[in-house]
Amino acid sequence: MHKINSVLRDDQWEKLEPLLVGRPGDSGMCGRDNRLFMEAVLWVALKAGTWSNLAPEFGRWRTSYMRFRRWTKADVWRRVAENLVDEHELQVILQAIIILGDEHTRLNTERSIRRDNVKIYGRALASAAGANTKPPRADELSSSWVWLVSNDVQTS
């Protein structure tokens, strides 16, 4: 293993550390090493790396990715950035993380919608063919491309 080239300087870490969740003494679980986790996130955000190519020195990439997702979902990155508005260098770093989180959220949402649409489409086809399956619910159809396409055909 080689030494990790840190992005964060010690003075920057001293400003970030008290604002992060998962510190020893916090309720609930604490992270093993918040600084190492931050360096892993910055490696992905600033070096355009991928989670699955995260260097082994950062630990298991899936663990870091899932923690990143949880923090993104809980809006931790934005809250930390709001507390450091006067710190220009840290703002640049945190904005890169926020952008990465927003992109991951967008991609995960699109993936979820596609998965749901496949299920809805399958049920709609089975129902139209007279198979003994539940027809799609109205709320599913009104929010899916299946409904949009079938509704467009009926109005044409």
PDB file of all heavy atoms in Angstrom, residues 113-129:
ATOM      1  N   ILE A 113     -36.814   5.006 -11.795  1.00  0.00           N
ATOM      2  CA  ILE A 113     -37.967   5.251 -12.671  1.00  0.00           C
ATOM      3  C   ILE A 113     -37.988   4.238 -13.810  1.00  0.00           C
ATOM      4  O   ILE A 113     -39.034   3.680 -14.134  1.00  0.00           O
ATOM      5  CB  ILE A 113     -37.953   6.709 -13.196  1.00  0.00           C
ATOM      6  CG1 ILE A 113     -38.264   7.680 -12.053  1.00  0.00           C
ATOM      7  CG2 ILE A 113     -38.933   6.886 -14.359  1.00  0.00           C
ATOM      8  CD1 ILE A 113     -38.016   9.139 -12.401  1.00  0.00           C
ATOM      9  N   ARG A 114     -36.827   3.998 -14.405  1.00  0.00           N
ATOM     10  CA  ARG A 114     -36.764   3.003 -15.491  1.00  0.00           C
ATOM     11  C   ARG A 114     -37.190   1.626 -14.995  1.00  0.00           C
ATOM     12  O   ARG A 114     -37.952   0.924 -15.655  1.00  0.00           O
ATOM     13  CB  ARG A 114     -35.363   2.943 -16.090  1.00  0.00           C
ATOM     14  CG  ARG A 114     -35.050   4.048 -17.061  1.00  0.00           C
ATOM     15  CD  ARG A 114     -33.785   3.768 -17.872  1.00  0.00           C
ATOM     16  NE  ARG A 114     -32.625   3.455 -17.075  1.00  0.00           N
ATOM     17  CZ  ARG A 114     -31.775   4.353 -16.571  1.00  0.00           C
ATOM     18  NH1 ARG A 114     -31.980   5.633 -16.795  1.00  0.00           N
ATOM     19  NH2 ARG A 114     -30.741   3.972 -15.858  1.00  0.00           N
ATOM     20  N   ARG A 115     -36.716   1.251 -13.821  1.00  0.00           N
ATOM     21  CA  ARG A 115     -37.054  -0.055 -13.255  1.00  0.00           C
ATOM     22  C   ARG A 115     -38.561  -0.143 -13.014  1.00  0.00           C
ATOM     23  O   ARG A 115     -39.195  -1.146 -13.344  1.00  0.00           O
ATOM     24  CB  ARG A 115     -36.269  -0.243 -11.956  1.00  0.00           C
ATOM     25  CG  ARG A 115     -35.992  -1.643 -11.577  1.00  0.00           C
ATOM     26  CD  ARG A 115     -35.070  -1.823 -10.368  1.00  0.00           C
ATOM     27  NE  ARG A 115     -34.917  -0.697  -9.468  1.00  0.00           N
ATOM     28  CZ  ARG A 115     -33.813   0.018  -9.338  1.00  0.00           C
ATOM     29  NH1 ARG A 115     -32.743  -0.265 -10.043  1.00  0.00           N
ATOM     30  NH2 ARG A 115     -33.751   1.023  -8.486  1.00  0.00           N
ATOM     31  N   ASP A 116     -39.150   0.917 -12.455  1.00  0.00           N
ATOM     32  CA  ASP A 116     -40.587   0.934 -12.213  1.00  0.00           C
ATOM     33  C   ASP A 116     -41.369   0.878 -13.523  1.00  0.00           C
ATOM     34  O   ASP A 116     -42.391   0.194 -13.621  1.00  0.00           O
ATOM     35  CB  ASP A 116     -40.989   2.185 -11.429  1.00  0.00           C
ATOM     36  CG  ASP A 116     -40.525   2.147  -9.982  1.00  0.00           C
ATOM     37  OD1 ASP A 116     -40.106   1.057  -9.503  1.00  0.00           O
ATOM     38  OD2 ASP A 116     -40.548   3.210  -9.328  1.00  0.00           O
ATOM     39  N   ASN A 117     -40.905   1.600 -14.529  1.00  0.00           N
ATOM     40  CA  ASN A 117     -41.597   1.600 -15.816  1.00  0.00           C
ATOM     41  C   ASN A 117     -41.578   0.224 -16.466  1.00  0.00           C
ATOM     42  O   ASN A 117     -42.560  -0.181 -17.093  1.00  0.00           O
ATOM     43  CB  ASN A 117     -40.989   2.635 -16.761  1.00  0.00           C
ATOM     44  CG  ASN A 117     -41.470   4.035 -16.447  1.00  0.00           C
ATOM     45  OD1 ASN A 117     -42.492   4.224 -15.793  1.00  0.00           O
ATOM     46  ND2 ASN A 117     -40.728   5.024 -16.894  1.00  0.00           N
ATOM     47  N   VAL A 118     -40.497  -0.495 -16.327  1.00  0.00           N
ATOM     48  CA  VAL A 118     -40.429  -1.850 -16.877  1.00  0.00           C
ATOM     49  C   VAL A 118     -41.477  -2.737 -16.210  1.00  0.00           C
ATOM     50  O   VAL A 118     -42.188  -3.497 -16.870  1.00  0.00           O
ATOM     51  CB  VAL A 118     -39.005  -2.444 -16.717  1.00  0.00           C
ATOM     52  CG1 VAL A 118     -38.989  -3.933 -16.979  1.00  0.00           C
ATOM     53  CG2 VAL A 118     -38.034  -1.717 -17.647  1.00  0.00           C
ATOM     54  N   LYS A 119     -41.607  -2.622 -14.885  1.00  0.00           N
ATOM     55  CA  LYS A 119     -42.609  -3.417 -14.155  1.00  0.00           C
ATOM     56  C   LYS A 119     -44.019  -3.033 -14.607  1.00  0.00           C
ATOM     57  O   LYS A 119     -44.862  -3.898 -14.854  1.00  0.00           O
ATOM     58  CB  LYS A 119     -42.478  -3.181 -12.649  1.00  0.00           C
ATOM     59  CG  LYS A 119     -41.247  -3.787 -12.036  1.00  0.00           C
ATOM     60  CD  LYS A 119     -41.194  -3.431 -10.555  1.00  0.00           C
ATOM     61  CE  LYS A 119     -39.856  -3.766  -9.954  1.00  0.00           C
ATOM     62  NZ  LYS A 119     -39.744  -3.280  -8.567  1.00  0.00           N
ATOM     63  N   ILE A 120     -44.280  -1.736 -14.694  1.00  0.00           N
ATOM     64  CA  ILE A 120     -45.608  -1.255 -15.089  1.00  0.00           C
ATOM     65  C   ILE A 120     -45.931  -1.708 -16.504  1.00  0.00           C
ATOM     66  O   ILE A 120     -47.030  -2.189 -16.793  1.00  0.00           O
ATOM     67  CB  ILE A 120     -45.677   0.286 -14.971  1.00  0.00           C
ATOM     68  CG1 ILE A 120     -45.575   0.700 -13.511  1.00  0.00           C
ATOM     69  CG2 ILE A 120     -46.959   0.821 -15.601  1.00  0.00           C
ATOM     70  CD1 ILE A 120     -45.268   2.181 -13.330  1.00  0.00           C
ATOM     71  N   TYR A 121     -44.963  -1.567 -17.389  1.00  0.00           N
ATOM     72  CA  TYR A 121     -45.172  -1.962 -18.786  1.00  0.00           C
ATOM     73  C   TYR A 121     -45.468  -3.455 -18.872  1.00  0.00           C
ATOM     74  O   TYR A 121     -46.379  -3.878 -19.597  1.00  0.00           O
ATOM     75  CB  TYR A 121     -43.925  -1.610 -19.598  1.00  0.00           C
ATOM     76  CG  TYR A 121     -44.049  -1.929 -21.069  1.00  0.00           C
ATOM     77  CD1 TYR A 121     -44.947  -1.234 -21.868  1.00  0.00           C
ATOM     78  CD2 TYR A 121     -43.267  -2.913 -21.648  1.00  0.00           C
ATOM     79  CE1 TYR A 121     -45.064  -1.513 -23.220  1.00  0.00           C
ATOM     80  CE2 TYR A 121     -43.370  -3.205 -22.999  1.00  0.00           C
ATOM     81  CZ  TYR A 121     -44.266  -2.504 -23.775  1.00  0.00           C
ATOM     82  OH  TYR A 121     -44.380  -2.788 -25.109  1.00  0.00           O
ATOM     83  N   GLY A 122     -44.737  -4.256 -18.118  1.00  0.00           N
ATOM     84  CA  GLY A 122     -44.964  -5.702 -18.118  1.00  0.00           C
ATOM     85  C   GLY A 122     -46.362  -6.045 -17.636  1.00  0.00           C
ATOM     86  O   GLY A 122     -47.048  -6.886 -18.230  1.00  0.00           O
ATOM     87  N   ARG A 123     -46.807  -5.377 -16.567  1.00  0.00           N
ATOM     88  CA  ARG A 123     -48.159  -5.637 -16.066  1.00  0.00           C
ATOM     89  C   ARG A 123     -49.213  -5.157 -17.049  1.00  0.00           C
ATOM     90  O   ARG A 123     -50.241  -5.800 -17.241  1.00  0.00           O
ATOM     91  CB  ARG A 123     -48.362  -4.984 -14.715  1.00  0.00           C
ATOM     92  CG  ARG A 123     -47.753  -5.816 -13.601  1.00  0.00           C
ATOM     93  CD  ARG A 123     -48.203  -5.327 -12.281  1.00  0.00           C
ATOM     94  NE  ARG A 123     -47.525  -4.063 -12.046  1.00  0.00           N
ATOM     95  CZ  ARG A 123     -47.333  -3.510 -10.882  1.00  0.00           C
ATOM     96  NH1 ARG A 123     -47.794  -4.067  -9.818  1.00  0.00           N
ATOM     97  NH2 ARG A 123     -46.702  -2.381 -10.756  1.00  0.00           N
ATOM     98  N   ALA A 124     -48.962  -4.021 -17.701  1.00  0.00           N
ATOM     99  CA  ALA A 124     -49.920  -3.500 -18.680  1.00  0.00           C
ATOM    100  C   ALA A 124     -50.037  -4.454 -19.864  1.00  0.00           C
ATOM    101  O   ALA A 124     -51.142  -4.731 -20.346  1.00  0.00           O
ATOM    102  CB  ALA A 124     -49.499  -2.111 -19.146  1.00  0.00           C
ATOM    103  N   LEU A 125     -48.906  -4.966 -20.335  1.00  0.00           N
ATOM    104  CA  LEU A 125     -48.948  -5.931 -21.438  1.00  0.00           C
ATOM    105  C   LEU A 125     -49.672  -7.209 -21.038  1.00  0.00           C
ATOM    106  O   LEU A 125     -50.486  -7.738 -21.794  1.00  0.00           O
ATOM    107  CB  LEU A 125     -47.526  -6.268 -21.901  1.00  0.00           C
ATOM    108  CG  LEU A 125     -46.808  -5.209 -22.728  1.00  0.00           C
ATOM    109  CD1 LEU A 125     -45.388  -5.675 -23.040  1.00  0.00           C
ATOM    110  CD2 LEU A 125     -47.561  -4.908 -24.011  1.00  0.00           C
ATOM    111  N   ALA A 126     -49.362  -7.704 -19.842  1.00  0.00           N
ATOM    112  CA  ALA A 126     -50.009  -8.928 -19.375  1.00  0.00           C
ATOM    113  C   ALA A 126     -51.507  -8.716 -19.211  1.00  0.00           C
ATOM    114  O   ALA A 126     -52.315  -9.573 -19.588  1.00  0.00           O
ATOM    115  CB  ALA A 126     -49.381  -9.379 -18.059  1.00  0.00           C
ATOM    116  N   SER A 127     -51.896  -7.572 -18.701  1.00  0.00           N
ATOM    117  CA  SER A 127     -53.307  -7.263 -18.519  1.00  0.00           C
ATOM    118  C   SER A 127     -54.012  -7.152 -19.870  1.00  0.00           C
ATOM    119  O   SER A 127     -55.110  -7.667 -20.055  1.00  0.00           O
ATOM    120  CB  SER A 127     -53.450  -5.952 -17.752  1.00  0.00           C
ATOM    121  OG  SER A 127     -54.804  -5.612 -17.592  1.00  0.00           O
ATOM    122  N   ALA A 128     -53.370  -6.496 -20.824  1.00  0.00           N
ATOM    123  CA  ALA A 128     -53.956  -6.343 -22.159  1.00  0.00           C
ATOM    124  C   ALA A 128     -54.091  -7.691 -22.854  1.00  0.00           C
ATOM    125  O   ALA A 128     -55.013  -7.903 -23.634  1.00  0.00           O
ATOM    126  CB  ALA A 128     -53.106  -5.398 -22.998  1.00  0.00           C
ATOM    127  N   ALA A 129     -53.181  -8.604 -22.569  1.00  0.00           N
ATOM    128  CA  ALA A 129     -53.224  -9.936 -23.182  1.00  0.00           C
ATOM    129  C   ALA A 129     -54.205 -10.848 -22.462  1.00  0.00           C
ATOM    130  O   ALA A 129     -54.401 -11.993 -22.868  1.00  0.00           O
ATOM    131  CB  ALA A 129     -51.830 -10.555 -23.173  1.00  0.00           C
TER     132      ALA A 129
END
